[in-house]
Amino acid sequence: MHIVRRLALAFLFLLAAGAGAADRTPPVMRLGDAVRPLAYELALQLDPRQEQYSGRVEIDIELAAARDFIWINGTGLEVRSAVLTAGGQRFQARAQSAGDDQFIGLQFDRAVPAGRARLAIDFRGRMSNDETRGLFRQQDLGAWYAFSQFESDHARRAFPSFDEPHWKTPWTLTLTVPRDDVAVANTPVVSEQPAADGWKQVRFAPTQPLPSYLVALGVGPFDVVDGGKAGLRQTQLRYIVPRGRAAQARYAVQATPRLLESLEAYFGIPYPFEKLDSMVIPITTNFGAMENPGLITYRSGLLLATPDREDERFKKTYAGVGAHEIAHQWFGDLVTMRWWDDIWLNESFATWMSRKVVPQFEPAWEPHAQRARERQEAFGADRLATARGVRRPVETRDDLAGAFSAITYQKGGAILHMYETVLGEARFQEGVRRYLRRHAWSNASAEDFFAALADGDAQLAAGMAGFVQQPGVPLVDVSVACSGAQATATLRQQRFVPAGAASGGGRWAIPVCLRAEGAQQPVCTVLRDEQQQVVLPGAAHCPAWVLPNPGGSGYYLSRLTAPSLRRLAAAPLSVPEAIALLAEQATLARSGALPLASLLELAGRMARDPRPEVATAAAYAVADLHPALFAGREAAQATWIRTHFGPLATRLGWLPKVRETDAVHSLRSAVLPLVADLGDDAKLRAQARPLAQAWLAGDRARLGALGKRVLQVAARDADARLFDAYLAAAHAAQDSRTRMDILFALGNVRDPALLQRAFMLPLADTLDVRETQSIYEAAGDEPRNAPALFAFVREHDAQLAARLPEELRASMPRWHEQLCTRADRDALQAFHAGDKLKLPGAPYNLAQALEAVELCAANVAWQAAAR
C-alpha cells in the first residue's frame, strides 16, 4: 500500500506540473488563441537624432488555460525584463527568440493560471535609417524626424505585441521626446509635461479598438498646419509637415474637407475618429500612403507641392490618394478584416471608392480613362498562370508580401464596379452601409461583405465569391446569328490563356451585357454555363454590330470575329465604350490572342476620333506594345505612328494652351511622347530638349503636368552636357518629387556610356538610394534599356545587395519584366536563386517576372506566325 500510494502521488505531481506546460515550438505565421490581448499601454522614449530608443509595453491579456510559456511577436528587439501579474502574484519571465526573428518566447518561472493578467515588458530597439517599416528616421532639410509604418506585420519591429489584425484593442500611448519636438499619434494629446534633461512626456487619449498595424506616431520639429474643421462632427483637420514646408500643403488643406464630406455622405456614418491629421514622410518605399486612423501618412510628393509644381497631375494624384486613404477610415479602420487573406476588403474597396469620389470632387477631370487603365492593368496581371485570387490564403510571410498587388487593388476595384453596375448604385450603397453598421469597431470577412451586399440573394453572393476567389480573367467569345426576324448571340466562357501560358480552368457567373445596332437598351444576362444563347430584342433585323460589355463595367475580356470587330470600330460608341473596347483588344494583342493588324486597324481608326478621350486610349493601346513585336520592321512601325498620330501631335504641340480641357491635357501627354519616341520624330524630340533644359533650370510651371513626360523624351537623346544638367538639378532639388521625376527620366537615356553613369548613381552616397533606385525601375520599364539593366545588375550584384534596403531587394525581379526572349528568362531564373529567394515576396515576384518574359517571347512568335 505504501508503494502504491507513493506512485499515485508521483503521478498526480506530474499531472500538476504538466498542466501549465506549453508548446515551445515557434509559430509558423499566427500566434493562435491561447493568449488574447485586451488592451495596451505603450510608452516609448525616442529622439529622432538617435537610432536607439527604449520602451515599456503593458498588455492586459486573457489566458485560455494555465501555462508557463507564451509566444508574442517581436523582431530585432532587446527584451530587458518581462513580468506578468495575475491574481496578485508576479511571474518573472525569461525571453528567447525564435529562429526567424518574428517571435519572442516568454518562459515564466512557474505556470500562470488561466484568466486575466497584465504582461509588462521593458525593451530597447533601433530605428532604421534606410527602411520605411517599423520605426524609422529620416532627415529633411537637415532636421531629423521619426515615423512609423506598421502595415502589414511591422509593429513587431517597434515593440512586442500580438501583431495580428483580428486583435482589435484600445491603445494608450505615451511618448517621451525632446522638449522642442512635436509628437503626434492616432488620438489627441491629453497632457504634455516637462521631463528631466531636456525631455517632455506627451500622453495621448486612448484609441478606439485598433489592430497593431494601425497604430501610428511621428516625432520631430514639424510645422503643424491648422486645416480647420469639417464633416458632420466638425472633425479637426491638421497637416503635420517637415519644418519649413507648411506653405506646400496649400492644396491638401483646400481639398481634404470636401473629400471627407463626400465620403461621410456616401457611407451615411460620420467620420469615426476624434481627429484627422495628415502627416508627411519625406521618402517611402513599397507604399505611398497609409490609412492610420486619425494620422494618415503620405509620401511627401503626394501631399506637398511648391507653387510651380502644383499642377493638374499633382492635384489629381492627391485627390485620388486622399480619397483612398480617407475611405479606409471606414473600410479597414472602423471595420477591419479578420486576417490578411481579406486585405482586399480594405484595398479593393478604397480603390473603387476613390474612382467614385474624385469625379464628384472635380467634374472637369476626365473620369473614364483612369478606371479603364486600372482595369487593363488588372487584366495584365490576372492573365498570368501564377496570378493569385483577389482573396488568397496567407499562410507564410511570402504570401503576405504578395498580398498587396494589382490583383488586390485594381482587379478587386474592378469587380466592385461591376457589381455596383449590376445592383444599381442605390442598392450597392445600402449594402455597403449595412456591412459597416453590422461590423463597426470589429472584424469581418469576405463572407460578411457578400452577405451584406447580397441581402439574401444567395446566387449573387456566390457569383461575387467566384470572382474574388478564383484567379484568372474570364474570356467571353461572342458570335451572332440571324434567323428570320430574330438575332441571337452565342456566348462562350473560359479562362483566358495567353499564348505560351499554362492552361487553367475556371467557371464564373459572369454578368454580361450586349448592345446591338438598333436596340434602345442593352440586353443583360448572367453567363453561368460554358455556353449560353441570348436573344437580342429590339435589334436591327440582323445587326451590323454587337458591342459586348457596353461601358466597360464587366470584368471579362470580349473576343469577336475579325469582321465583327471591324464593323464595331465604325459603330457609334460612347466614350467609355470606345475606351473599354480598345483596352480589351490591346490586352488580347499583347497576349497572342489577336493579330497586331487587327488592333492597329482599330487604333488607327479611333486615333481620328474627335473626342480626345478616345484618341488618348488609342495612343496608349499602341504605346504599350513591346518593341520586340516589330523587330526588323521598326521603320515601318514608326511611319505608321507618324501617319496616324503625327498630325495630332503637331496640332497639339508640347506647350499647354489656355482653357484647354483636362481631356486635351491627357491627350497631349499620351500622343506627343508616342510620336517623338516610337514614331521616331526627331523634330519633336529636338523641341523637347530646350523645354527640358528650362524645366531643369526652374521654369516648371510652363509645362505643368507634362514636365515629367518632356524630361523622359529629352533624356532619350541626352549627351553628356544634358545628362550633367539633369544630375545637377537632381542635387539642387529641395523636394523628393522633383528629384524623383529627374532620376526616373535618366532611366530613359539611350547612350550606352551615359546609361551606365545613370546606373552607377544608386551605388554612390551622393543621393538617397531609395530615390535613385527609380533609375532602375525606369530602365526596366523601357524595353530597349531592359537588357542593359539586367547586365548591370548581374555585374554589380554584391554592391546592390549591400546598398539596397531589404524591402526593395525582394522586388528586384520586377525590374526585368520587359525582357522578351526565352534566353533572358532562363538567365533571370538562374540569377535569382539561392539566398535571393529567402526574402519575403521574392519567390512570387520572380515567378511573375519569369512568366511575363515567357509570355512576351511567346507573343512575338505567335504574332510572327499570324502575319
Side-chain angles (χ1 to χ4, degrees), residues 350-420:
T351 299
W352 170 81
M353 195 70 213
S354 174
R355 300 300 160 236
K356 189 171 187 66
V357 166
V358 169
Q360 301 169 10
F361 172 82
E362 181 48 81
W365 290 342
E366 196 283 310
H368 307 294
Q370 182 66 29
R371 192 187 296 277
R373 293 288 288 177
E374 289 177 352
R375 177 170 166 266
Q376 189 174 15
E377 183 181 351
F379 286 159
D382 208 18
R383 68 189 178 133
L384 304 180
T386 51
R388 298 173 178 177
V390 174
R391 188 192 200 196
R392 70 201 78 186
V394 174
E395 298 170 350
T396 67
R397 298 191 70 231
D398 187 60
D399 292 337
L400 181 56
F404 297 84
S405 67
I407 299 296
T408 304
Y409 289 75
Q410 278 75 36
K411 178 180 177 179
I415 291 170
L416 292 175
H417 178 56
M418 174 172 67
Y419 276 97
E420 182 194 30

Side-chain angles (χ1 to χ4, degrees), residues 63-281:
L63 286 78
R67 54 197 306 114
D68 65 353
F69 185 93
I70 67 172
W71 289 104
I72 192 170
N73 291 117
T75 297
L77 301 173
E78 176 194 350
V79 174
R80 303 176 66 192
S81 70
V83 178
L84 187 144
T85 304
Q89 300 184 65
R90 288 168 56 86
F91 299 80
Q92 297 287 340
R94 178 173 50 85
Q96 65 182 57
S97 295
D100 65 355
D101 200 30
Q102 295 297 307
F103 304 96
I104 296 171
L106 296 177
Q107 175 65 64
F108 296 101
D109 53 7
R110 61 194 187 281
V112 179
R116 296 200 170 193
R118 170 163 280 213
L119 174 63
I121 303 175
D122 290 296
F123 61 95
R124 287 178 179 165
R126 287 187 176 274
M127 291 186 281
S128 176
N129 294 317
D130 59 358
E131 295 189 337
T132 55
R133 55 184 179 174
L135 285 176
F136 57 94
R137 65 192 197 116
Q138 293 182 4
Q139 271 189 307
D140 187 80
L141 300 179
W144 282 100
Y145 300 85
F147 302 99
S148 65
Q149 168 61 22
F150 295 155
E151 189 181 44
S152 53
D153 61 349
H154 305 316
R156 65 192 65 181
R157 294 174 176 272
F159 45 82
S161 60
F162 295 83
D163 193 15
E164 297 182 14
H166 66 100
W167 282 312
K168 296 184 74 170
T169 70
W171 294 73
T172 302
L173 183 61
T174 301
L175 297 178
T176 302
V177 303
R179 189 167 297 167
D180 294 332
D181 280 350
V182 174
V184 292
N186 301 91
T187 54
V189 172
V190 294
S191 68
E192 185 172 310
Q193 301 292 333
D197 302 323
W199 296 84
K200 66 180 178 183
Q201 187 181 78
V202 184
R203 185 173 178 83
F204 297 88
T207 71
Q208 298 286 355
L210 298 179
S212 53
Y213 83 89
L214 288 176
V215 175
L217 61 94
V219 177
F222 294 106
D223 285 345
V224 179
V225 181
D226 185 353
K229 296 182 178 181
L232 296 170
R233 291 177 176 162
Q234 288 296 284
T235 300
Q236 176 67 57
L237 308 183
R238 302 189 306 172
Y239 304 86
I240 316 300
V241 304
R243 185 173 58 198
R245 299 193 183 275
Q248 298 176 25
R250 190 203 71 83
Y251 185 72
V253 173
Q254 172 189 321
T256 305
R258 291 172 53 206
L259 295 172
L260 174 65
E261 289 163 359
S262 292
L263 289 161
E264 282 188 330
Y266 185 84
F267 292 126
I269 298 173
Y271 174 75
F273 301 98
E274 297 93 330
K275 66 178 177 70
L276 178 54
D277 288 347
S278 299
M279 181 168 65
V280 166
I281 300 175

Side-chain angles (χ1 to χ4, degrees), residues 774-788:
S774 64
I775 295 170
Y776 301 146
E777 294 180 0
D781 284 344
E782 169 48 67
R784 286 154 294 190
N785 283 350

Side-chain angles (χ1 to χ4, degrees), residues 515-544:
R515 185 167 75 86
E517 180 195 28
Q520 297 298 313
Q521 297 291 332
V523 58
C524 298
T525 188
V526 177
L527 176 58
R528 303 183 190 278
D529 300 323
E530 183 177 338
Q531 178 173 314
Q532 196 167 312
Q533 290 189 328
V534 180
V535 175
L536 302 176
H541 169 64
C542 194

